[in-house]
Amino acid sequence: HRGDINYSFATGDVTSSGGAEETGGFDTGGTGGFIGATGEPNQPNSNNITNSYATGNVTSTANNPNVGGFAGSKEDGTVSNSFSTGLVNANGTYTNGFIGRVNAGTASDNYWNTETSGKSTGGTGTGLTTAQMKQETNFSNWDFTNTWSINEGGTLPYLQDTGNNRTTIHKITGDEGWRVLSSGFDGLSYAELMENIWTQGFTSSDGGSGDAYNVYAWNGGSYVPVSNGSEVPEPGSGFIVYVFSDDDFDGVSEGFPKYLVQQGSSASGTVSPSLYYQDSGSTSDADSMGWNLLGNPFLSAIDWDAASGWTSSNLDNTFYIWSDTANSNTGAWLSWNGLTGTKRDGIIAPGQGFFVKANADSPALSIGEAVKKDTSSVLLKKSTVPEIVFTLKGNSISTQSIILFDASASLENDPYDAYQLASFNNTWLSISTASSEEGSKLSINALPITFEEEIEIPLYIDGSSLNGEHILSWDLIKLPEGIEITLIDNDEGTSISLSSNSEYEFLLNEEVQKSTNQQFSKHKPMPGLLAKSENKPRFILQISQIKTVVNELAEDLPTRVALYQNYPNPFNPATTINFEVPRQAKVRLEVFNLLGKKVMTLVDETKIQGRYSARFDARQLASGVYIYRLQVGNVSINRKMTLIK
């Protein structure tokens, strides 16, 4: 065969069933994984092959005399800097790991895998084990600067980008479990995308169609198994796969990391994935209200907060990614809404799948190349937003939840909220809020900056093992002026001012197993999407605004410290306490029982001259007489109030 071949590869299996026919993965001639036969007899320059490889299996079911993992026969020309790895299964006269029969020409610096090919002889070239095939030093005279790349100990050599044809490596770290992925290539099938890891359930998968599925796509409101490995995912869509530690289920775990080596033409232009929306008719049921599993369509990172490139309508502001290293390496869904999030930035890596949620009919999203993250640009620091970041630690796991204050938010669910999604793993811990006890669990709860009445937010603790000591801590970041927040422990009946404290230790004594995924050998069930729990909220957050008179004339401003009788009094369960501050000073307003034990701190901060009010909610306290004390600088005033239930 005439013509030079360079920077090329063949990955498909090759089977010949005739006599001395000539077949190859790349061209005809002999039976080989890359080419049937190289060159023509007595034509030294007719066919030169360099920097190429074949990974498919080669099978000949007839008396084909020349069979090899790379080429069936070599008639003339040169073959250099190439390799093959596929199984060679034939009974021909010349059957070898690399080239079946070498008649003429030259060959140099070629290699074949002695383990996967099943052949100890190559016809030409050097035989290497699987481990040796993953070491750069074993490939003599190969250009690993401009032509080839390799991940030491992790991958075979692969070709660097050549024009529109690109190679990308996705490194999968951590432990066995679910991963949410996407494709940045045009036309690659599910089987091609996951060639290097174990797949099962669909025809042509490693495990075949008899095993439970481990690859799923998303169809509107639910996960659906991928039943055809040759199916090509829609550009901009995502899929999930259970990555097993054992690559071939021979009982020996190969461990992590694992590498997905993918080659083809990269996606370009604007990608507009199909989106789905269905109104379930219930604001507390977000399961079927427009969840969509999308994916980064490019081979570079993209920025959710890019100034241009995104065009969307009827979508929430939040995206969700699964991180197997989050929550102290137990795995968790992380979210980002453009202002804040448990992910802490808006960068979506190449090969990363992510969820978005539609909120009305006819949702749409277009992803242009302008969203690609320019790694050479200066990363601008985002402005700090008003928020409370809660961190829960227990049983060696740490997890977070956020309350955001924004003028565009509402007390009901809004586009800045982020839902709490169910963990893929057996070991997990979560803290979440909700708009009400009947509402969906939220990992980001966006609230308005101003509100008329006191807000009560349930705070849930859920996990696979809720026992032992836990610590709930919080960071108050740039909160709106005048906001007071009290944490009420529903089990212990205690109240804690968030402005006066930074953490709270409490005990969980329930041994609760709420695993969203069951552990068993080779068959893995799919978890649900949204986190669900029958637990009552362990805590209640009471959020109120202290009103300050700021438009008084100077002569009307208070000139002395004053503490007024609470109203109403007696009261049940809440009452209001008014006080005056004559000058800027440190102000503390506290409540004590008759034994002198402090039961709540209502105010603990510096106030300017003015009149103020504070709300005292005593629903967790017993009936009786309580003393409230105002201290402004060195001045202290006490009064009594009566709680009657």
Side-chain angles (χ1 to χ4, degrees):
H1 299 277
R2 294 181 177 272
D4 293 343
I5 301 174
N6 194 11
Y7 299 106
S8 302
F9 60 91
T11 59
D13 293 341
V14 176
T15 300
S16 107
S17 57
E21 64 184 75
E22 302 174 345
T23 56
F26 187 84
D27 200 355
T28 59
T31 300
F34 183 81
I35 194 169
T38 71
E40 295 184 10
N42 303 315
Q43 297 290 329
N45 297 315
S46 60
N47 185 207
N48 300 311
I49 302 174
T50 186
N51 295 320
S52 299
Y53 65 88
T55 58
N57 298 323
V58 181
T59 302
S60 177
T61 59
N63 292 322
N64 194 319
N66 307 319
V67 182
F70 187 83
S73 66
K74 187 175 185 308
E75 302 301 327
D76 218 320
T78 64
V79 177
S80 62
N81 297 80
S82 300
F83 73 87
S84 64
T85 62
L87 172 67
V88 179
N89 183 16
N91 297 315
T93 305
Y94 299 97
T95 300
N96 287 298
F98 190 68
I99 296 179
R101 181 178 183 179
V102 178
N103 290 323
T106 60
S108 61
D109 303 319
N110 300 305
Y111 302 88
W112 85 95
N113 190 316
T114 57
E115 294 178 329
T116 57
S117 68
K119 297 298 178 183
S120 59
T121 58
T124 185
T126 302
L128 299 176
T129 66
T130 300
Q132 291 171 335
M133 293 285 291
K134 298 177 181 180
Q135 299 292 331
E136 177 181 331
T137 56
N138 293 322
F139 294 86
S140 299
N141 301 316
W142 282 38
D143 183 358
F144 281 96
T145 301
N146 303 303
T147 303
W148 295 92
S149 292
I150 194 170
N151 290 77
E152 284 292 305
T155 68
L156 300 170
Y158 59 93
L159 293 167
Q160 297 179 14
D161 297 350
T162 54
N164 193 43
N165 185 71
R166 297 192 61 183
T167 300
T168 186
I169 296 283
H170 295 311
K171 183 178 180 181
I172 301 177
T173 60
D175 299 314
E176 179 174 298
W178 295 99
R179 301 295 191 276
V180 184
L181 306 176
S182 69
S183 170
F185 292 98
D186 286 332
L188 285 193
S189 67
Y190 286 107
E192 291 171 321
L193 290 168
M194 292 171 285
E195 182 180 4
N196 287 19
I197 59 175
W198 178 271
T199 55
Q200 60 186 43
F202 56 80
T203 304
S204 78
S205 65
D206 300 307
S209 57
D211 286 325
Y213 295 97
N214 76 321
V215 182
Y216 287 79
W218 180 263
N219 182 19
S222 63
Y223 294 106
V224 292
V226 173
S227 58
N228 186 353
S230 63
E231 181 182 346
V232 176
E234 179 189 8
S237 66
F239 59 93
I240 75 167
V241 57
Y242 192 95
V243 181
F244 292 96
S245 181
D246 190 342
D247 291 336
D248 50 14
F249 270 92
D250 61 353
V252 179
S253 174
E254 284 76 18
F256 289 81
K258 298 186 186 299
Y259 298 88
L260 299 183
V261 183
Q262 300 162 349
Q263 293 174 306
S265 298
S266 60
S268 60
T270 298
V271 177
S272 300
S274 302
L275 296 182
Y276 162 91
Y277 176 77
Q278 176 181 332
D279 190 344
S280 68
S282 171
T283 57
S284 63
D285 176 19
D287 278 307
S288 59
M289 294 180 64
W291 288 98
N292 294 272
L293 180 55
L294 306 183
N296 182 345
F298 304 119
L299 295 181
S300 59
I302 59 177
D303 189 353
W304 186 255
D305 304 324
S308 61
W310 295 99
T311 303
S312 65
S313 60
N314 299 332
L315 286 179
D316 283 358
N317 295 37
T318 303
F319 74 87
Y320 307 76
I321 69 164
W322 171 257
S323 169
D324 59 291
T325 61
N327 288 11
S328 307
N329 292 316
T330 60
W333 287 96
L334 303 179
S335 56
W336 176 261
N337 66 6
L339 297 175
T340 188
T342 51
K343 187 179 184 301
R344 306 314 295 176
D345 65 42
I347 305 303
I348 302 173
Q352 176 71 63
F354 59 95
F355 270 105
V356 297
K357 182 178 175 296
N359 53 41
D361 289 332
S362 302
L365 179 68
S366 294
I367 312 170
E369 293 198 32
V371 306
K372 292 181 179 179
K373 181 64 179 175
D374 183 2
T375 56
S376 64
S377 63
V378 178
L379 181 63
L380 298 178
K381 182 177 176 62
K382 294 182 179 295
S383 300
T384 303
V385 297
E387 61 183 340
I388 309 171
V389 180
F390 289 99
T391 301
L392 176 65
K393 296 180 180 179
N395 293 325
S396 301
I397 306 176
S398 177
T399 183
Q400 289 188 325
S401 184
I402 294 172
I403 291 180
L404 166 71
F405 294 90
D406 188 83
S408 302
S410 68
L411 295 178
E412 304 301 325
N413 290 129
D414 58 66
Y416 284 100
D417 290 334
Y419 293 89
Q420 185 75 46
L421 303 188
S423 174
F424 279 139
N425 294 339
N426 289 338
T427 302
W428 59 284
L429 180 68
S430 74
I431 176 172
S432 58
T433 61
S435 56
S436 66
E437 287 193 31
E438 293 75 31
S440 298
K441 303 287 183 64
L442 301 174
S443 64
I444 304 175
N445 194 345
L447 301 177
I449 291 180
T450 60
F451 41 88
E452 294 299 323
E453 299 180 355
E454 181 180 80
I455 302 172
E456 289 193 350
I457 302 294
L459 190 64
Y460 295 89
I461 307 297
D462 295 293
S464 56
S465 180
L466 299 179
N467 66 320
E469 292 186 355
H470 286 64
I471 299 177
L472 178 64
S473 60
W474 49 85
D475 290 324
L476 309 181
I477 302 172
K478 201 180 176 181
L479 291 188
E481 185 176 352
I483 284 187
E484 293 288 341
I485 306 169
T486 301
L487 179 73
I488 298 176
D489 188 332
N490 287 330
D491 286 6
E492 299 296 332
T494 57
S495 301
I496 306 97
S497 169
L498 265 61
S499 60
S500 303
N501 302 273
S502 60
E503 66 178 33
Y504 175 66
E505 295 186 24
F506 61 100
L507 185 67
L508 292 174
N509 53 17
E510 303 175 51
E511 189 70 31
V512 181
Q513 295 293 332
K514 301 188 191 68
S515 298
T516 56
N517 182 28
Q518 300 297 319
Q519 290 281 6
F520 51 93
S521 175
K522 198 175 174 183
H523 301 274
K524 302 295 175 181
M526 281 304 305
L529 179 60
L530 290 184
K532 296 183 180 297
S533 170
E534 297 179 358
N535 285 353
K536 292 296 183 181
R538 172 63 188 258
F539 301 100
I540 294 291
L541 286 171
Q542 293 179 342
I543 306 176
S544 60
Q545 286 185 315
I546 296 178
K547 305 299 182 181
T548 304
V549 180
V550 295
N551 58 350
E552 294 177 291
L553 297 176
E555 58 269 21
D556 294 330
L557 289 172
T559 58
R560 62 182 179 84
V561 176
L563 177 65
Y564 296 99
Q565 187 64 50
N566 63 298
Y567 180 83
N569 188 49
F571 66 96
N572 179 29
T575 186
T576 299
I577 301 171
N578 296 315
F579 60 95
E580 297 180 356
V581 178
R583 63 190 180 280
Q584 180 171 316
K586 178 71 172 180
V587 177
R588 181 179 289 111
L589 179 60
E590 300 169 311
V591 181
F592 302 84
N593 60 24
L594 288 179
L595 297 177
K597 180 181 178 181
K598 183 170 65 176
V599 297
M600 189 177 297
T601 299
L602 303 178
V603 179
D604 186 12
E605 61 184 59
T606 299
K607 297 287 189 184
I608 63 173
Q609 184 183 22
R611 297 181 173 86
Y612 299 87
S613 63
R615 184 173 174 81
F616 174 48
D617 192 315
R619 70 184 64 196
Q620 304 299 324
L621 301 177
S623 298
V625 177
Y626 292 87
I627 298 170
Y628 57 104
R629 174 186 300 162
L630 175 69
Q631 184 166 346
V632 180
N634 296 324
V635 179
S636 180
I637 304 175
N638 294 340
R639 286 186 179 273
K640 293 182 179 181
M641 56 184 170
T642 304
L643 171 62
I644 299 178
K645 292 188 175 181

